[in-house]
Amino acid sequence: MHDAMHTQIFHNRWIDNWLGTFFGTACFGISGSWWRDEHFYHHALVNTIDSVNNQRLDPQMQEPIWAQNKKLCRFYQTYIQYLFIKIQHITFIPVCVFIGRIGITIDSFKQERRIHELLAGLIHWTWVLLLVLQLPTLREKLIFYGIASSCEGILHIQLLVSHYAKPFFDLDKISTSLDWYEMQIKSNINIVCPEWLDWFHGGLNFHIEHHLYPLMPRHNYRRASRHIKRVCHELGLEYDECPWSTAIVRTLRCLRQMSIHFKLDPR
């Protein structure tokens, strides 16, 4: 779905969009078109808020129970949110693994009205239902689907640790005191791993390269990284990369720090 919606496969918007719906909605079970619409905003305005109009502009870096940066504190005003944020460093991994699949499925379809997406979603859930019904007991059915959903939840961790410990930016600073290239580099973390392990991250362990060149096929990221490292060195920019375990620890530390910092009082 991801590569298709970025038109990396055929470089034809119409064909790749239909492939994205097939792989994303029919196979994966979330609305591919919904995900594409949000993801384009994420790429253009990664980790960005509009402080003038009091808006969060990156839809894929906002959750009602996490505040990963002090610039986001203004958007949480209820006592329930306060309680969740105070324990966000504890709940982050369990929520991603055990609830992430359910949450993204509901989010993708609750306002989806496009007929082709609804039909593809029906195909997916009919397929899953027929598969699960082959198991003899309700307990086995629940265990099977629970394990499958939890394994998919690992993907949420992979993607969020690429951004959560990085800075957030104000819209009015972009293209004035901060250019787009610099913003993309400063808001991403690359995951260091051997080349044979790229499959586990789907190639998105090179998240800096992906955000700078979203149309580039992922098999070129490792080669492109050498050129981007050189440019970062020439411009004096940090090329942030670390092992996956370190990125998770950095994310949890960031969430812990913000849980201490956060208060409902805007002062």
Side-chain angles (χ1 to χ4, degrees):
M1 175 185 72
H2 178 273
D3 292 2
M5 289 306 190
H6 272 296
T7 65
Q8 293 178 2
I9 300 176
F10 288 99
H11 299 286
N12 180 295
R13 176 66 63 192
W14 187 86
I15 296 175
D16 283 331
N17 278 351
W18 277 106
L19 279 178
T21 295
F22 172 74
F23 288 115
T25 315
C27 297
F28 195 45
I30 68 169
S31 170
S33 296
W34 166 86
W35 178 89
R36 178 201 62 213
D37 296 343
E38 282 208 346
H39 197 63
F40 284 0
Y41 275 104
H42 167 67
H43 268 268
L45 297 166
V46 58
N47 283 11
T48 302
I49 68 165
D50 182 353
S51 57
V52 176
N53 296 304
N54 206 37
Q55 292 180 320
R56 290 179 289 190
L57 300 178
D58 183 351
Q60 295 188 339
M61 288 297 113
Q62 54 179 283
E63 299 293 341
I65 59 172
W66 295 328
Q68 67 270 33
N69 187 278
K70 62 184 180 181
K71 292 182 184 291
L72 300 176
C73 290
R74 71 183 72 191
F75 302 109
Y76 303 94
Q77 300 177 354
T78 69
Y79 188 67
I80 294 296
Q81 289 176 318
Y82 171 83
L83 293 178
F84 275 115
I85 290 171
K86 285 299 179 182
I87 59 171
Q88 61 184 5
H89 55 293
I90 300 172
T91 61
F92 174 74
I93 291 179
V95 167
C96 283
V97 173
F98 299 114
I99 304 177
R101 167 68 182 179
I102 299 171
I104 195 172
T105 302
I106 294 173
D107 283 347
S108 72
F109 282 107
K110 66 183 180 183
Q111 293 183 326
E112 183 59 77
R113 298 295 181 269
R114 286 164 283 205
I115 297 298
H116 69 284
E117 290 292 342
L118 297 176
L119 289 175
L122 179 63
I123 291 171
H124 171 82
W125 290 109
T126 302
W127 175 18
V128 170
L129 183 63
L130 291 174
L131 178 63
V132 171
L133 287 176
Q134 304 305 307
L135 298 172
T137 67
L138 176 61
R139 180 172 178 271
E140 290 178 345
K141 292 178 175 67
L142 293 175
I143 290 175
F144 170 79
Y145 191 74
I147 292 174
S149 297
S150 298
C151 290
E152 188 271 322
I154 296 173
L155 176 64
H156 296 273
I157 299 176
Q158 287 180 316
L159 298 178
L160 294 181
V161 298
S162 296
H163 298 291
Y164 264 34
K166 301 300 287 182
F168 269 66
F169 307 101
D170 287 308
L171 181 63
D172 59 355
K173 298 293 192 300
I174 299 174
S175 298
T176 54
S177 60
L178 180 75
D179 64 41
W180 187 86
Y181 191 95
E182 182 182 1
M183 178 187 73
Q184 298 295 335
I185 291 174
K186 287 184 174 180
S187 59
N188 285 278
I189 297 176
N190 275 12
I191 305 302
V192 176
C193 70
E195 187 172 358
W196 60 266
L197 197 57
D198 284 349
W199 68 268
F200 179 73
H201 301 279
L204 295 180
N205 45 313
F206 291 98
H207 225 68
I208 294 173
E209 287 70 24
H210 174 58
H211 266 255
L212 287 174
Y213 304 104
L215 299 183
M216 179 186 293
R218 63 182 66 193
H219 62 268
N220 290 324
Y221 289 161
R222 188 171 289 274
R223 185 170 52 178
S225 69
R226 297 194 294 268
H227 302 285
I228 295 172
K229 284 181 180 179
R230 187 182 71 250
V231 171
C232 287
H233 178 73
E234 292 173 356
L235 297 178
L237 298 174
E238 179 190 12
Y239 184 89
D240 196 352
E241 57 180 350
C242 62
W244 192 42
S245 58
T246 303
I248 293 175
V249 170
R250 287 174 59 183
T251 299
L252 295 178
R253 284 177 177 169
C254 175
L255 292 172
R256 170 60 176 163
Q257 182 180 9
M258 288 310 305
S259 73
I260 297 172
H261 175 83
F262 180 78
K263 289 180 174 59
L264 286 176
D265 187 341
R267 294 173 294 180

